[in-house]
């Protein structure tokens, strides 16, 4: 399934919270400039990870933080934000 998110020109600033089919996701780029899409649902109690920056993604419910490069937890038990799609630049 292909889902068009936004015009590529609007995706220059990442990380970015986006909605796809009424669910929240975090769109980011890795160190190679490739897009990565993570679920914004915290694996702890399913809150929304919506405090996002270049340094970390944070769930405001209990302060769990995640590495924006791979989605792995930084300050909690081993947990990881789920990633779903391979994102390709289509020109």
């Amino acid at each position: 399934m292909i889902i068009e998110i936004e015009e590529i020109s609007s995706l220059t600033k990442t990380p970015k919270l986006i909605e796809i089919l009424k669910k929240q996701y975090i769109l980011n780029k890795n160190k190679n400039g490739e897009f990565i899409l993570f679920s914004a649902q915290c694996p702890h109690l399913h809150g929304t990870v919506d405090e996002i920056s270049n340094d970390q993604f944070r769930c405001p419910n209990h302060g769990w933080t995640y590495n924006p490069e791979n989605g792995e937890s930084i300050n909690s038990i081993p947990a990881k934000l789920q990633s779903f799609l391979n994102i390709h630049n289509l020109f």
Side-chain angles (χ1 to χ4, degrees):
M1 176 185 341
I2 295 176
I3 299 172
E4 187 173 317
I5 300 171
E6 297 181 32
E7 292 291 326
I8 196 74
S9 60
S10 69
L11 300 176
T12 57
K13 186 174 181 174
T14 58
K16 183 176 190 168
L17 193 64
I18 62 172
E19 185 176 300
I20 301 173
L21 302 176
K22 299 185 181 183
K23 294 187 179 185
Q24 299 292 313
Y25 295 89
I26 302 167
L27 183 68
N28 200 17
K29 289 183 182 177
N30 64 17
K31 60 185 172 188
N32 298 324
E34 301 164 321
F35 287 108
I36 305 170
L37 188 68
F38 295 105
S39 169
Q41 185 178 45
C42 183
H44 177 219
L45 292 174
H46 309 292
T48 300
V49 178
D50 60 2
E51 295 178 9
I52 56 176
S53 72
N54 290 325
D55 299 323
Q56 68 181 17
F57 302 154
R58 183 177 182 277
C59 179
N61 289 356
H62 296 101
W64 282 30
T65 57
Y66 301 90
N67 182 322
E69 193 58 32
N70 56 26
E72 292 179 1
S73 63
I74 296 171
N75 69 341
S76 63
I77 62 168
K80 188 173 185 178
L81 294 177
Q82 210 167 15
S83 59
F84 292 97
L85 304 171
N86 291 324
I87 308 287
H88 300 282
N89 290 329
L90 302 175
F91 298 100

